[in-house]
Amino acid sequence: MKDLMGRAIWDYYHNENPEDLQTETSISELDELPVEYLFRDFEDMNDIEQKALELSNGKVLDIGAGAGSHALYLQNDRNLDVLALDISPKSIEVCQLRGIKRAVCENILNFSGETFDTILLLMNGTGIFEGLSKIDTYLQKLGTLLNENGQILIDSTDILYMFDRDKDGGVYIPAGGYYGELEYVVHYKGESEDPITWLYLDFNTLKNAAENNGFTIQRILKDEDAYLAKLTKK
């Protein structure tokens, strides 16, 4: 991993000639992602993010923390005990420089030793599941990190709207796999990361997977094709 996302976050924080990130998927063209978006305050976050942060309580694990904006709000404005977790070394360094007291660079599947009252996975939190074949592995891992009465707050988007439709309203979905399982590539300053598998889940698919792995699930908020879900142990 070249850690291009982390490099962009690092450059922006240190004012080292940052440039916008570029992202693309197997079903979408190149798109600009302004790095400053990753540093936004609570007031500039979308309704799903704000709701998730408002619902967070107790000891919190923020998975995929990035520049640390969610963790920073919970720590400083909500006075919660937060651990920011990300696989990007430079992102975690910036989290620490921004004042996050606990920040760890680790893959969630390798992380252990603590349990939490709230586990946050935001900005298409289902993306870390990679693909349908790994959902059970990730959900079972999250279950081991969750306190008995804890909650997992996770968001995603049903991307069915991105596919063409016929005149009768039918959707042209590629054969051979789940339509939300995409290849995702990040570009920064002329360099490209290797493609990763990134998962967008419709709510019913997440619901089935959650229930099969011992969770009760509730859709907390819906915003067009995006949603926030809350998982608790049965």
Side-chain angles (χ1 to χ4, degrees):
M1 185 180 77
K2 298 176 183 176
D3 196 14
L4 298 184
M5 184 76 73
R7 281 171 52 187
I9 288 170
W10 175 270
D11 288 349
Y12 182 87
Y13 181 80
H14 291 281
N15 198 23
E16 294 282 353
N17 302 310
E19 296 178 8
D20 288 345
L21 288 150
Q22 293 182 312
T23 63
E24 61 181 322
T25 75
S26 45
I27 63 166
S28 63
E29 298 178 352
L30 213 59
D31 193 22
E32 299 283 337
L33 174 59
V35 187
E36 63 181 351
Y37 179 75
L38 304 176
F39 287 81
R40 64 202 182 284
D41 293 329
F42 179 83
E43 293 74 19
D44 297 320
M45 295 177 189
N46 63 42
D47 291 345
I48 284 176
E49 291 172 291
Q50 290 185 356
K51 186 67 172 178
L53 295 178
E54 288 168 354
L55 290 173
S56 297
N57 59 63
K59 186 178 174 185
V60 182
L61 175 63
D62 180 16
I63 299 175
S69 295
H70 298 137
L72 208 57
Y73 171 79
L74 292 174
Q75 174 186 283
N76 294 349
D77 291 73
R78 297 281 317 281
N79 296 313
L80 297 178
D81 177 6
V82 187
L83 175 63
L85 187 80
D86 205 291
I87 61 170
S88 161
K90 285 195 172 295
S91 294
I92 289 301
E93 288 182 42
V94 170
C95 283
Q96 293 167 337
L97 290 169
R98 295 183 77 193
I100 295 173
K101 297 173 185 175
R102 300 208 302 142
V104 174
C105 182
E106 185 64 271
N107 185 305
I108 185 59
L109 293 179
N110 299 327
F111 179 79
S112 62
E114 295 188 53
T115 56
F116 300 86
D117 302 301
T118 300
I119 297 177
L120 276 182
L121 299 101
L122 297 178
M123 297 181 69
N124 190 52
T126 65
I128 70 157
F129 296 163
E130 301 179 67
L132 285 182
S133 64
K134 294 188 177 181
I135 291 180
D136 291 349
T137 298
Y138 278 95
L139 287 175
Q140 288 166 20
K141 177 63 180 184
L142 293 176
T144 69
L145 300 175
L146 192 65
N147 287 333
E148 198 56 41
N149 296 315
Q151 59 178 345
I152 298 169
L153 298 171
I154 184 168
D155 71 335
S156 195
T157 301
D158 184 351
I159 61 169
L160 194 63
Y161 72 92
M162 296 182 69
F163 294 86
D164 293 332
R165 295 178 181 270
D166 61 28
K167 61 182 180 180
D168 297 319
V171 183
Y172 294 108
I173 299 175
Y178 176 63
Y179 67 85
E181 197 173 290
L182 307 181
E183 275 199 345
Y184 184 84
V185 182
V186 172
H187 309 276
Y188 183 63
K189 289 187 174 180
E191 293 187 64
S192 301
E193 289 281 11
D194 291 334
I196 62 170
T197 307
W198 192 248
L199 188 63
Y200 291 87
L201 279 177
D202 68 278
F203 179 74
N204 285 334
T205 300
L206 176 59
K207 181 175 184 290
N208 291 336
E211 291 175 346
N212 287 339
N213 283 281
F215 292 100
T216 298
I217 183 170
Q218 177 185 2
R219 182 160 48 194
I220 299 294
L221 185 64
K222 189 174 185 298
D223 184 5
E224 295 183 345
D225 297 290
Y227 63 88
L228 173 67
K230 173 182 174 179
L231 281 64
T232 53
K233 291 181 177 179
K234 290 181 179 177

